[in-house]
Amino acid sequence: MGDCGDAEDEFEDALEVIPAHCKMDLNTALSDSKIAIHLFFNNKFDEAQHILEPWVGTSMYHTIGRSIFLFLEALLTFEQASIQKASAALKSSIRLCNSYRRKTTLTQSIGNIMKKPNYDSYTPDELHAELCFAEALLLKALLTFIEDETLVSFIRAGIKIRSCYNSYKECNVILTSREWSENEKSYKEHFESGVRLGIGAFNLMISLLPSKIIKLLEFIGFSGSKEQGLGELELCYQVPHGLRHVLCVLTMLTYHLVVVYVFSQEEGDLEFCDAALRQQLTLYPNGAWFLYFKGRLEFMRGDVDDAIKWYTASVESQDSWPQFHHICYWELCWANCVALNWKRAETYAAKLAEQSKWSRTTYNYQRACIMLMRGYNCLSRDELNTVNQLMADVPKYKQRIAGKSLPMEKFAVKRSQRFTNQNNRLFMPAIELLYLWNLFNVFGKRKSLCDNLYRLIDRNTKDLEKNPGQYGSEYEYDNKALGCLLKGVCLRIMNSPLHAEECLKSVVSMEKKIKEDRFLVPYAHVELAFLYKSKGNLDKAAYYLETAKKNYSGYSLETRLHFQIHCAWATLNERKAKTTTDLNDLAPDSQFDDNQ
């Protein structure tokens, strides 16, 4: 029953049959899990653990609940001991869930190929075992990506995710084909919330990947539709008493407030986020996760002061998991950068560089960049020495996953080398990072923020024109092209299309004079596509997207741009389809008018 795939080593030695007197009934397990979730999201982590601990190893939901807590801790800390502990817990969860699943003989398995199993004969325990099995397998696969950084491990994780995907698909078949009796209403509610969450999240995740990767995934059996993903999550959201409702809310908030703004130029559904957060903060008024997302909501609205207030509240709401503070420090750092409060931003950048293990290369580089934005003349000798040391340390902590460097870390290392080559100087480095992290759109939400940004960029580009030698002559056009790109994007979000177009096209015109920063030209093409799209010229927008995709390769942060191109193509096709539909709807009426 089910596709175990590469995960056989995780559960081939299934647990021995658990004595009846040691088992917990499913109703009580689900009830305990709801209480534990409520405590967890109100920052009462120890109390939540205490509810689960006594039944770990015998109850599916208690066991996987504890595994999820350990999984989150591993992600937040990135410490090897935490990762190994979470991995062992998930391995046990997979074994336990597998012991509860419906056992099939070889003859039955062959028969199932010819006709679908009789899911009506499954007990509630067997049904929920299938769902918990899929969830545990997914978390174990995700953990494999950070547990071992070799290519073999990376491939194994991919195979496990495929097994998990097939398990979720089978759970979906169970949900839709089973005849649920009236007294199974509660079991179905919890089962449905889990299935819709899994199917929705998978579809959404796959739909965001570049088209080349999607074609490969489709070849090996995956499929992804943004519409289906959001639709399934919305259906899950409409099951408010489902055990996984709060996880569904977190998934949707992550998509609408983080993923959309990092990977595209589109807007998330901020109205939904506002309504969902009001509801969740009523249930979890001191919940660190929802205070964080409230801060993110205000940040994406351009309300920087309010965002800082909510992020700070999230930090102050708990100290059991100090690692969660790092997520808020990241946001506080960039919120202060958007406000051009470099001194305050550097405080949070320093905390990240000193405390977090996620990416010390990135953190050291961004701290140095933020310090440089205050101006060389405003930095003390000790501060200049700190900047020099941070830049020197950037390459030391570079990570490799599946044998490859992380793109942003690779970029930071190149920039640290440029810093040395340019007499210990960089041109508007933190503004460049704000652009690369896709935060220019936040400036566009408030005229005052935009005006301040434009004045800063304009002042620096004019200073570069007057004194290009301050960075040495070797990278003169690289710096000029960067200045024009940043100025063009700023003008685009200020709704000054003609001046924006002039700046962006000047970047393209410098292509042959740029020595190293070849990424600036394809990025300028994509910005021109966004500009023409906003003006309604969809054909020109498509031309610039196609040019950026087909004519350029091998440049820094290429994958990051391809995500944006993929998302832009999707919305462009939607706009074109809508325009065609609107014209077709008008056609009969137009002909009628002509006949008149």
Side-chain angles (χ1 to χ4, degrees):
M1 174 59 221
D3 182 3
C4 302
D6 180 78
E8 288 176 354
D9 58 318
E10 259 73 328
F11 52 78
E12 62 185 0
D13 299 321
L15 297 185
E16 295 180 3
V17 176
I18 301 167
H21 67 275
C22 293
K23 288 186 178 182
M24 171 176 280
D25 67 278
L26 187 57
N27 269 330
T28 306
L30 290 167
S31 177
D32 276 4
S33 297
K34 290 202 79 169
I35 295 169
I37 286 172
H38 187 79
L39 290 169
F40 179 83
F41 285 105
N42 264 322
N43 301 338
K44 296 178 180 179
F45 307 122
D46 290 339
E47 290 94 326
Q49 291 273 32
H50 290 156
I51 287 178
L52 301 175
E53 285 288 351
W55 291 94
V56 169
T58 56
S59 165
M60 285 183 295
Y61 274 102
H62 290 72
T63 304
I64 196 171
R66 178 176 175 272
S67 298
I68 290 171
F69 292 164
L70 292 173
F71 172 81
L72 291 172
E73 185 177 345
L75 286 187
L76 290 173
T77 62
F78 247 59
E79 292 175 354
Q80 198 59 35
S82 297
I83 292 170
Q84 290 173 356
K85 192 175 180 181
S87 180
L90 285 164
K91 189 174 180 179
S92 297
S93 294
I94 292 169
R95 282 179 173 173
L96 181 62
C97 292
N98 196 53
S99 73
Y100 274 93
R101 294 166 74 207
R102 169 68 66 95
K103 301 297 182 291
T104 55
T105 64
L106 178 61
T107 304
Q108 289 170 327
S109 297
I110 295 171
N112 288 343
I113 296 173
M114 308 301 294
K115 62 177 183 177
K116 70 178 182 180
N118 178 16
Y119 293 121
D120 290 344
S121 67
Y122 280 45
T123 67
D125 282 292
E126 288 171 338
L127 294 173
H128 281 267
E130 289 297 327
L131 178 57
C132 291
F133 170 78
E135 290 173 335
L137 195 57
L138 174 60
L139 295 178
K140 183 69 173 73
L142 293 176
L143 198 62
T144 302
F145 286 113
I146 62 171
E147 188 178 5
D148 183 355
E149 297 179 354
T150 64
L151 180 59
V152 172
S153 176
F154 195 81
I155 294 170
R156 286 183 65 207
I159 295 171
K160 288 176 185 176
I161 286 178
R162 184 175 184 273
S163 300
C164 164
Y165 179 72
N166 289 335
S167 292
Y168 269 117
K169 286 203 300 184
E170 185 160 12
C171 287
N172 195 40
V173 173
I174 294 172
L175 175 66
T176 54
S177 64
R178 178 181 167 90
E179 291 289 334
W180 297 86
S181 64
E182 187 60 32
N183 62 356
E184 292 179 330
K185 183 178 178 182
S186 175
Y187 296 135
K188 181 189 176 184
E189 194 172 55
H190 295 307
F191 186 80
E192 180 177 2
S193 74
V195 173
R196 297 204 183 280
L197 173 61
I199 295 291
F202 256 113
N203 272 274
L204 205 54
M205 177 178 68
I206 294 170
S207 73
L208 293 168
L209 299 172
S211 55
K212 284 184 180 178
I213 298 176
I214 288 178
K215 287 177 183 175
L216 175 63
L217 291 175
E218 287 175 345
F219 178 74
I220 59 174
F222 284 97
S223 62
S225 162
K226 184 177 81 172
E227 291 73 23
Q228 184 184 353
L230 289 173
E232 289 290 332
L233 290 173
E234 179 60 34
L235 289 171
C236 179
Y237 183 72
Q238 291 171 13
V239 186
H241 301 297
L243 185 62
R244 295 154 180 90
H245 182 262
V246 66
L247 299 177
C248 172
V249 173
L250 286 174
T251 302
M252 296 179 79
L253 290 173
T254 300
Y255 174 75
H256 287 298
L257 293 176
V258 180
V259 174
V260 169
Y261 290 98
V262 170
F263 292 115
S264 75
Q265 294 289 324
E266 303 304 312
E267 288 284 327
D269 188 345
L270 299 188
E271 286 187 17
F272 163 80
C273 294
D274 192 25
L277 281 166
R278 267 191 265 113
Q279 180 191 57
Q280 296 304 313
L281 285 169
T282 301
L283 293 170
Y284 314 107
N286 297 311
W289 299 83
F290 296 109
L291 291 170
Y292 159 77
F293 277 115
K294 177 63 174 173
R296 184 73 185 180
L297 172 63
E298 299 307 326
F299 193 19
M300 294 304 99
R301 285 171 164 170
D303 295 327
V304 176
D305 291 340
D306 275 355
I308 289 171
K309 181 188 76 173
W310 287 102
Y311 288 142
T312 303
S314 179
V315 171
E316 294 173 349
S317 70
Q318 60 86 31
D319 54 16
S320 298
W321 279 13
Q323 298 84 5
F324 189 77
H325 297 170
H326 300 158
I327 298 174
C328 296
Y329 291 160
W330 175 271
E331 297 289 335
L332 284 161
C333 173
W334 293 114
N336 279 286
C337 283
V338 168
L340 307 186
N341 188 341
W342 305 117
K343 188 72 176 173
R344 188 66 179 158
E346 196 261 327
T347 302
Y348 294 108
K351 286 177 181 287
L352 286 169
E354 292 163 6
Q355 299 175 19
S356 179
K357 296 183 179 180
W358 281 343
S359 175
R360 293 186 68 181
T361 288
T362 301
Y363 297 145
N364 282 340
Y365 176 69
Q366 77 182 35
R367 182 186 174 191
C369 289
I370 290 166
M371 292 180 73
L372 289 171
M373 291 306 300
R374 287 162 51 199
Y376 292 88
N377 296 330
C378 298
L379 295 173
S380 67
R381 179 174 295 179
D382 286 344
E383 287 173 327
L384 286 171
N385 288 336
T386 298
V387 171
N388 293 341
Q389 188 59 53
L390 287 167
M391 287 294 190
D393 287 344
V394 164
K396 293 181 183 178
Y397 303 107
K398 191 175 75 165
Q399 304 170 87
R400 295 181 74 82
I401 294 180
K404 292 192 175 183
S405 302
L406 301 176
M408 189 54 81
E409 289 195 350
K410 199 172 180 180
F411 178 81
V413 170
K414 284 185 177 180
R415 276 290 185 259
S416 69
Q417 293 166 348
R418 173 76 68 81
F419 173 78
T420 303
N421 295 340
Q422 290 187 159
N423 307 318
N424 288 4
R425 290 172 179 264
L426 284 175
F427 182 60
M428 290 195 288
I431 304 300
E432 180 181 47
L433 285 177
L434 280 166
Y435 169 68
L436 292 174
W437 288 121
N438 218 12
L439 288 169
F440 266 43
N441 286 340
V442 176
F443 288 98
K445 302 293 178 64
R446 289 287 182 273
K447 187 177 185 303
S448 59
L449 294 175
C450 231
D451 289 344
N452 291 338
L453 176 66
Y454 179 78
R455 282 195 290 269
L456 176 62
I457 295 172
D458 190 52
R459 184 170 68 248
N460 278 274
T461 50
K462 285 178 178 176
D463 182 55
L464 179 66
E465 289 172 10
K466 290 178 184 176
N467 185 16
Q470 62 185 304
Y471 300 97
S473 59
E474 195 176 0
Y475 301 100
E476 177 182 352
Y477 285 97
D478 296 67
N479 291 325
K480 282 184 177 178
L482 175 59
C484 287
L485 176 66
L486 296 176
K487 192 171 185 178
V489 179
C490 188
L491 287 164
R492 175 176 69 78
I493 63 176
M494 292 174 74
N495 200 26
S496 297
L498 293 177
H499 289 108
E501 183 178 11
E502 182 182 347
C503 288
L504 295 170
K505 285 187 173 178
S506 71
V507 178
V508 177
S509 71
M510 287 185 246
E511 180 174 358
K512 293 184 178 178
K513 297 179 180 179
I514 293 172
K515 179 182 179 180
E516 188 176 88
D517 296 340
R518 296 187 303 110
F519 76 95
L520 295 171
V521 179
Y523 271 75
H525 277 83
V526 172
E527 289 298 335
L528 283 164
F530 294 148
L531 180 65
Y532 285 118
K533 181 185 165 191
S534 67
K535 292 163 65 175
N537 192 335
L538 304 187
D539 290 334
K540 269 202 168 182
Y543 165 77
Y544 279 105
L545 285 176
E546 189 72 12
T547 302
K549 184 179 178 182
K550 289 192 172 181
N551 292 6
Y552 300 92
S553 63
Y555 52 87
S556 296
L557 303 175
E558 181 177 355
T559 301
R560 176 175 291 271
L561 189 63
H562 276 223
F563 273 109
Q564 289 206 25
I565 291 171
H566 171 69
C567 292
W569 266 123
T571 55
L572 204 63
N573 289 333
E574 287 173 11
R575 288 269 296 273
K576 283 185 174 181
K578 186 177 185 304
T579 302
T580 303
T581 301
D582 291 345
L583 288 172
N584 289 338
D585 289 344
L586 287 171
D589 291 336
S590 300
Q591 180 151 5
F592 180 78
D593 290 338
D594 289 341
N595 291 337
Q596 284 287 90

